[in-house]
Amino acid sequence: MSFFKKIFTSEKKETLDKGLEKSKSSFFNKLNKAVAGKSKVDDDVLDNLEEILVTSDVGVNTTLKVIERIEERVAKDKYLGTSELNQILREEIAGLLSETNSGEETDYKIPELPNREDGTKTPYVLMVVGVNGVGKTTTIGKLAYQFKKKGLKVVLGAADTFRAAAIDQLQVWADRVDVPMIKQGMGSDPASVAFDALQSGVNQNADVIIIDTAGRLHNKVNLMNELTKVKRVMQKVVGDAPHDVLLVLDGSTGQNAFEQAKQFTAATEVTSLAVTKLDGTAKGGVVIGISDQFQIPVKYIGVGEGIEDLQVFNKYEFVDSFFK
Protein backbone atom coordinates (compact mmCIF):
# COMPACT_ATOMS: atom_id res chain seq x y z
CA MET A 1 0.00 0.00 0.00
CA SER A 2 1.76 3.14 -1.14
CA PHE A 3 -0.43 5.77 0.46
CA PHE A 4 2.58 7.83 1.37
CA LYS A 5 4.05 9.86 -1.42
CA LYS A 6 5.54 13.30 -0.91
CA ILE A 7 2.70 15.77 -1.18
CA PHE A 8 3.69 18.76 0.95
CA THR A 9 6.77 20.92 0.49
CA SER A 10 9.50 20.12 3.03
CA GLU A 11 8.80 23.42 4.82
CA LYS A 12 5.10 22.64 5.23
CA LYS A 13 5.89 19.10 6.27
CA GLU A 14 8.33 20.34 8.90
CA THR A 15 5.62 22.58 10.37
CA LEU A 16 3.22 19.64 10.47
CA ASP A 17 5.83 17.37 12.10
CA LYS A 18 6.55 20.03 14.71
CA GLY A 19 2.85 20.69 15.34
CA LEU A 20 2.18 17.01 16.03
CA GLU A 21 5.33 16.46 18.11
CA LYS A 22 3.52 16.35 21.48
CA SER A 23 0.82 13.98 20.24
CA LYS A 24 3.38 11.75 18.59
CA SER A 25 5.79 11.44 21.52
CA SER A 26 2.92 10.83 23.98
CA PHE A 27 1.56 8.10 21.70
CA PHE A 28 4.93 6.40 21.18
CA ASN A 29 5.84 6.52 24.86
CA LYS A 30 2.66 4.57 25.57
CA LEU A 31 3.21 2.25 22.62
CA ASN A 32 6.80 1.44 23.57
CA LYS A 33 5.71 0.49 27.09
CA ALA A 34 2.92 -1.68 25.66
CA VAL A 35 5.24 -3.72 23.44
CA ALA A 36 8.24 -3.82 25.79
CA GLY A 37 9.61 -7.38 25.94
CA LYS A 38 7.19 -8.64 23.29
CA SER A 39 8.30 -9.71 19.85
CA LYS A 40 4.96 -10.38 18.23
CA VAL A 41 1.56 -8.75 18.07
CA ASP A 42 -0.67 -10.88 20.30
CA ASP A 43 -3.98 -10.29 22.11
CA ASP A 44 -2.21 -8.50 24.96
CA VAL A 45 -0.53 -6.07 22.60
CA LEU A 46 -3.83 -5.45 20.78
CA ASP A 47 -5.65 -4.82 24.09
CA ASN A 48 -2.97 -2.33 25.07
CA LEU A 49 -3.05 -0.73 21.65
CA GLU A 50 -6.82 -0.30 21.92
CA GLU A 51 -6.39 1.51 25.23
CA ILE A 52 -3.60 3.71 23.83
CA LEU A 53 -5.69 4.77 20.81
CA VAL A 54 -8.69 5.58 23.02
CA THR A 55 -6.56 7.57 25.50
CA SER A 56 -4.96 9.39 22.53
CA ASP A 57 -8.45 10.72 21.70
CA VAL A 58 -8.86 8.73 18.51
CA GLY A 59 -12.34 7.85 19.82
CA VAL A 60 -13.87 4.47 20.65
CA ASN A 61 -15.59 3.77 17.31
CA THR A 62 -12.57 4.60 15.19
CA THR A 63 -10.28 2.68 17.54
CA LEU A 64 -12.41 -0.45 17.20
CA LYS A 65 -12.22 -0.19 13.40
CA VAL A 66 -8.42 0.17 13.52
CA ILE A 67 -8.03 -2.80 15.89
CA GLU A 68 -10.28 -4.90 13.68
CA ARG A 69 -8.16 -4.11 10.63
CA ILE A 70 -4.96 -5.02 12.50
CA GLU A 71 -6.52 -8.26 13.79
CA GLU A 72 -7.32 -9.19 10.20
CA ARG A 73 -3.70 -8.63 9.23
CA VAL A 74 -2.42 -10.63 12.19
CA ALA A 75 -4.72 -13.51 11.20
CA LYS A 76 -3.63 -13.29 7.57
CA ASP A 77 0.13 -12.86 8.12
CA LYS A 78 0.18 -15.36 11.03
CA TYR A 79 3.27 -13.70 12.50
CA LEU A 80 3.50 -9.95 12.93
CA GLY A 81 6.45 -8.58 14.86
CA THR A 82 5.94 -5.65 17.23
CA SER A 83 8.68 -3.85 15.26
CA GLU A 84 6.29 -3.67 12.30
CA LEU A 85 3.41 -2.31 14.36
CA ASN A 86 4.22 1.31 13.64
CA GLN A 87 4.16 0.82 9.85
CA ILE A 88 0.98 -1.27 10.10
CA LEU A 89 -0.74 1.44 12.13
CA ARG A 90 0.21 4.05 9.54
CA GLU A 91 -1.11 1.90 6.71
CA GLU A 92 -4.33 0.80 8.39
CA ILE A 93 -5.27 4.26 9.64
CA ALA A 94 -4.49 5.79 6.24
CA GLY A 95 -6.52 2.97 4.68
CA LEU A 96 -9.44 3.69 6.99
CA LEU A 97 -9.33 7.41 6.25
CA SER A 98 -9.01 6.79 2.53
CA GLU A 99 -12.56 5.43 2.68
CA THR A 100 -13.79 8.99 3.28
CA ASN A 101 -13.56 11.06 0.12
CA SER A 102 -11.99 14.10 1.74
CA GLY A 103 -8.67 15.18 3.21
CA GLU A 104 -6.97 14.98 -0.18
CA GLU A 105 -6.23 18.69 -0.55
CA THR A 106 -2.68 19.96 -0.92
CA ASP A 107 -3.29 23.71 -1.09
CA TYR A 108 -5.82 26.47 -0.50
CA LYS A 109 -8.38 26.83 -3.25
CA ILE A 110 -12.00 27.74 -3.81
CA PRO A 111 -14.41 26.12 -6.28
CA GLU A 112 -15.35 27.93 -9.46
CA LEU A 113 -18.89 29.22 -9.20
CA PRO A 114 -21.26 30.14 -12.04
CA ASN A 115 -21.86 33.88 -12.52
CA ARG A 116 -24.85 35.57 -10.88
CA GLU A 117 -28.00 36.28 -12.88
CA ASP A 118 -26.81 39.79 -13.81
CA GLY A 119 -23.59 38.31 -15.18
CA THR A 120 -21.37 39.48 -12.31
CA LYS A 121 -19.00 37.16 -10.48
CA THR A 122 -20.39 35.01 -7.64
CA PRO A 123 -18.26 35.42 -4.52
CA TYR A 124 -17.46 32.27 -2.55
CA VAL A 125 -19.23 32.75 0.80
CA LEU A 126 -17.76 31.00 3.82
CA MET A 127 -19.67 31.12 7.09
CA VAL A 128 -17.63 30.26 10.19
CA VAL A 129 -19.22 28.79 13.34
CA GLY A 130 -17.85 27.47 16.64
CA VAL A 131 -17.95 28.23 20.35
CA ASN A 132 -15.91 31.08 21.80
CA GLY A 133 -12.29 30.35 22.57
CA VAL A 134 -11.67 27.66 19.94
CA GLY A 135 -9.61 29.95 17.70
CA LYS A 136 -12.42 30.97 15.35
CA THR A 137 -11.28 34.56 14.71
CA THR A 138 -7.65 33.52 14.32
CA THR A 139 -8.69 30.84 11.83
CA ILE A 140 -10.64 33.43 9.83
CA GLY A 141 -7.63 35.77 9.84
CA LYS A 142 -5.27 33.05 8.68
CA LEU A 143 -7.70 31.90 5.97
CA ALA A 144 -8.02 35.49 4.73
CA TYR A 145 -4.22 35.68 4.59
CA GLN A 146 -3.93 32.42 2.61
CA PHE A 147 -6.68 33.33 0.12
CA LYS A 148 -5.20 36.79 -0.39
CA LYS A 149 -1.77 35.23 -0.95
CA LYS A 150 -3.38 33.24 -3.77
CA GLY A 151 -4.33 36.54 -5.41
CA LEU A 152 -8.00 36.41 -4.35
CA LYS A 153 -9.94 39.46 -3.18
CA VAL A 154 -11.26 38.83 0.35
CA VAL A 155 -13.91 40.64 2.43
CA LEU A 156 -14.64 39.85 6.11
CA GLY A 157 -17.99 40.26 7.86
CA ALA A 158 -18.07 40.68 11.67
CA ALA A 159 -21.43 39.06 12.43
CA ASP A 160 -20.44 37.93 15.94
CA THR A 161 -22.06 41.02 17.44
CA PHE A 162 -22.57 39.61 20.95
CA ARG A 163 -19.00 39.98 22.08
CA ALA A 164 -17.40 43.40 21.79
CA ALA A 165 -13.98 41.76 21.69
CA ALA A 166 -14.99 39.59 18.72
CA ILE A 167 -15.42 42.60 16.42
CA ASP A 168 -12.19 44.23 17.63
CA GLN A 169 -10.26 40.98 17.30
CA LEU A 170 -11.45 40.46 13.73
CA GLN A 171 -10.56 44.09 12.94
CA VAL A 172 -6.98 43.42 14.13
CA TRP A 173 -6.75 40.52 11.67
CA ALA A 174 -8.37 42.53 8.84
CA ASP A 175 -5.75 45.27 9.38
CA ARG A 176 -2.92 42.76 9.66
CA VAL A 177 -3.85 40.96 6.44
CA ASP A 178 -4.99 44.22 4.83
CA VAL A 179 -8.47 43.16 3.75
CA PRO A 180 -11.72 45.14 4.12
CA MET A 181 -14.07 44.27 7.00
CA ILE A 182 -17.75 45.10 7.31
CA LYS A 183 -19.04 45.68 10.84
CA GLN A 184 -21.78 47.36 12.87
CA GLY A 185 -21.99 48.14 16.58
CA MET A 186 -22.01 45.49 19.28
CA GLY A 187 -25.48 44.01 19.78
CA SER A 188 -26.62 44.77 16.23
CA ASP A 189 -28.42 42.14 14.19
CA PRO A 190 -25.93 39.53 12.88
CA ALA A 191 -28.04 38.91 9.77
CA SER A 192 -27.93 42.59 8.93
CA VAL A 193 -24.09 42.58 9.15
CA ALA A 194 -23.93 39.49 6.93
CA PHE A 195 -26.24 41.18 4.41
CA ASP A 196 -24.03 44.30 4.33
CA ALA A 197 -20.88 42.20 4.00
CA LEU A 198 -22.24 40.27 1.02
CA GLN A 199 -23.52 43.41 -0.66
CA SER A 200 -20.19 45.12 -0.14
CA GLY A 201 -18.33 42.02 -1.35
CA VAL A 202 -20.41 41.86 -4.54
CA ASN A 203 -19.88 45.60 -5.19
CA GLN A 204 -16.13 45.20 -4.69
CA ASN A 205 -16.05 42.17 -7.00
CA ALA A 206 -14.71 40.00 -4.15
CA ASP A 207 -13.71 36.39 -4.71
CA VAL A 208 -14.19 35.29 -1.09
CA ILE A 209 -16.43 36.61 1.70
CA ILE A 210 -15.85 35.17 5.18
CA ILE A 211 -18.58 35.70 7.77
CA ASP A 212 -17.83 35.31 11.50
CA THR A 213 -20.81 34.27 13.65
CA ALA A 214 -21.56 34.20 17.39
CA GLY A 215 -20.06 31.31 19.36
CA ARG A 216 -22.89 30.37 21.66
CA LEU A 217 -24.14 26.85 22.08
CA HIS A 218 -25.88 26.83 25.47
CA ASN A 219 -29.21 27.17 23.70
CA LYS A 220 -29.27 25.20 20.48
CA VAL A 221 -32.70 26.47 19.42
CA ASN A 222 -31.61 30.12 19.53
CA LEU A 223 -28.38 29.32 17.72
CA MET A 224 -30.25 27.38 15.06
CA ASN A 225 -32.75 30.18 14.54
CA GLU A 226 -30.02 32.79 14.35
CA LEU A 227 -27.86 30.90 11.86
CA THR A 228 -30.90 30.05 9.74
CA LYS A 229 -31.82 33.74 9.65
CA VAL A 230 -28.25 34.74 8.72
CA LYS A 231 -28.30 32.22 5.85
CA ARG A 232 -31.72 33.34 4.65
CA VAL A 233 -30.71 37.01 4.59
CA MET A 234 -27.41 36.23 2.79
CA GLN A 235 -29.36 34.41 0.09
CA LYS A 236 -31.13 37.66 -0.78
CA VAL A 237 -27.77 38.84 -2.13
CA VAL A 238 -26.10 35.61 -3.27
CA GLY A 239 -28.71 32.96 -4.04
CA ASP A 240 -26.84 29.86 -2.90
CA ALA A 241 -24.85 31.37 0.00
CA PRO A 242 -23.21 30.17 2.14
CA HIS A 243 -21.17 27.79 -0.03
CA ASP A 244 -19.40 26.38 3.01
CA VAL A 245 -20.23 26.33 6.74
CA LEU A 246 -16.94 25.79 8.55
CA LEU A 247 -17.05 24.56 12.16
CA VAL A 248 -13.90 25.41 14.13
CA LEU A 249 -12.99 22.95 16.92
CA ASP A 250 -10.23 23.21 19.52
CA GLY A 251 -8.14 20.04 19.18
CA SER A 252 -6.65 20.46 22.64
CA THR A 253 -10.04 19.66 24.20
CA GLY A 254 -9.91 16.08 22.82
CA GLN A 255 -13.23 14.33 23.35
CA ASN A 256 -14.94 17.65 24.02
CA ALA A 257 -14.25 18.55 20.38
CA PHE A 258 -16.24 15.44 19.35
CA GLU A 259 -19.07 16.60 21.60
CA GLN A 260 -19.09 20.10 20.11
CA ALA A 261 -19.08 18.65 16.60
CA LYS A 262 -22.10 16.53 17.51
CA GLN A 263 -23.96 19.48 19.05
CA PHE A 264 -23.22 21.89 16.21
CA THR A 265 -24.07 19.43 13.47
CA ALA A 266 -27.41 18.88 15.22
CA ALA A 267 -28.03 22.65 15.41
CA THR A 268 -27.04 23.65 11.90
CA GLU A 269 -25.79 22.21 8.65
CA VAL A 270 -21.98 22.06 8.84
CA THR A 271 -20.12 21.30 5.62
CA SER A 272 -16.46 21.35 6.75
CA LEU A 273 -14.29 21.36 9.88
CA ALA A 274 -11.13 23.07 11.10
CA VAL A 275 -9.29 21.59 14.09
CA THR A 276 -7.02 24.12 15.83
CA LYS A 277 -4.36 24.24 18.56
CA LEU A 278 -2.88 20.82 17.79
CA ASP A 279 0.67 21.98 18.52
CA GLY A 280 0.02 22.62 22.21
CA THR A 281 -1.52 19.26 23.03
CA ALA A 282 -1.01 15.51 23.00
CA LYS A 283 -4.57 15.03 21.72
CA GLY A 284 -3.83 15.15 17.97
CA GLY A 285 -5.44 11.72 17.57
CA VAL A 286 -8.77 13.53 17.74
CA VAL A 287 -8.30 14.56 14.08
CA ILE A 288 -8.20 10.88 13.05
CA GLY A 289 -11.39 10.15 15.00
CA ILE A 290 -13.26 13.23 13.79
CA SER A 291 -12.18 12.62 10.20
CA ASP A 292 -13.49 9.05 10.41
CA GLN A 293 -16.63 9.57 12.53
CA PHE A 294 -18.26 12.62 11.00
CA GLN A 295 -19.13 12.44 7.37
CA ILE A 296 -17.92 16.04 7.21
CA PRO A 297 -14.48 16.76 5.80
CA VAL A 298 -11.72 18.15 8.01
CA LYS A 299 -10.43 20.94 5.74
CA TYR A 300 -7.90 22.77 7.89
CA ILE A 301 -5.73 22.08 10.93
CA GLY A 302 -3.91 24.54 13.17
CA VAL A 303 -0.40 23.33 13.97
CA GLY A 304 1.18 26.50 15.38
CA GLU A 305 0.62 30.16 16.17
CA GLY A 306 2.29 31.63 13.10
CA ILE A 307 0.19 33.07 10.28
CA GLU A 308 1.38 30.23 7.99
CA ASP A 309 0.58 27.53 10.57
CA LEU A 310 -3.00 26.90 9.50
CA GLN A 311 -2.64 24.09 6.97
CA VAL A 312 -5.02 22.38 4.60
CA PHE A 313 -5.63 18.93 6.06
CA ASN A 314 -4.12 16.14 4.01
CA LYS A 315 -4.88 12.81 5.68
CA TYR A 316 -1.87 10.99 4.23
CA GLU A 317 0.62 13.65 5.32
CA PHE A 318 -1.09 13.84 8.71
CA VAL A 319 -0.92 10.09 9.37
CA ASP A 320 2.63 10.00 8.03
CA SER A 321 3.73 12.76 10.44
CA PHE A 322 1.82 11.26 13.37
CA PHE A 323 3.30 7.77 13.03
CA LYS A 324 6.69 8.65 11.63
Side-chain angles (χ1 to χ4, degrees), residues 22 73 142 159 220 236 242-243 310:
K22 281 189 181 169
R73 278 187 72 164
K142 290 178 180 180
K220 275 207 310 235
K236 290 179 179 170
H243 303 103
L310 183 76

Side-chain angles (χ1 to χ4, degrees), residues 61-205:
N61 294 347
T62 305
T63 293
L64 293 176
K65 288 189 201 170
V66 173
I67 295 295
E68 207 173 285
R69 292 176 80 114
I70 293 176
E71 279 174 342
E72 278 172 21
R73 278 187 72 164
V74 171
K76 196 175 76 201
D77 300 350
K78 293 294 175 265
Y79 179 90
L80 272 187
T82 47
S83 55
E84 297 154 83
L85 195 52
N86 182 12
Q87 180 63 23
I88 291 158
L89 270 169
R90 273 174 68 178
E91 288 173 3
E92 292 309 332
I93 290 176
L96 181 65
L97 295 185
S98 69
E99 290 168 9
T100 61
N101 57 355
S102 63
E104 309 264 341
E105 294 300 334
T106 55
D107 206 356
Y108 287 86
K109 59 173 192 271
I110 56 167
E112 266 185 47
L113 300 168
N115 282 348
R116 295 164 74 234
E117 279 171 20
D118 60 4
T120 55
K121 178 165 63 183
T122 304
Y124 179 70
V125 181
L126 171 59
M127 182 164 120
V128 185
V129 300
V131 299
N132 294 333
V134 293
K136 193 158 52 81
T137 314
T138 304
T139 299
I140 293 170
K142 290 178 180 180
L143 280 173
Y145 166 77
Q146 291 290 355
F147 288 136
K148 189 179 176 191
K149 209 168 101 173
K150 285 267 171 276
L152 300 170
K153 190 167 175 47
V154 183
V155 171
L156 302 182
D160 182 353
T161 56
F162 289 88
R163 238 173 19 106
I167 301 172
D168 298 342
Q169 220 184 335
L170 198 60
Q171 185 68 63
V172 168
W173 273 104
D175 296 343
R176 186 177 172 188
V177 178
D178 192 22
V179 295
M181 179 178 111
I182 308 304
K183 63 181 178 182
Q184 292 177 14
M186 186 193 162
S188 50
D189 179 15
S192 154
V193 180
F195 181 84
D196 286 356
L198 262 65
Q199 223 162 23
S200 173
V202 165
N203 293 340
Q204 293 181 55
N205 210 15

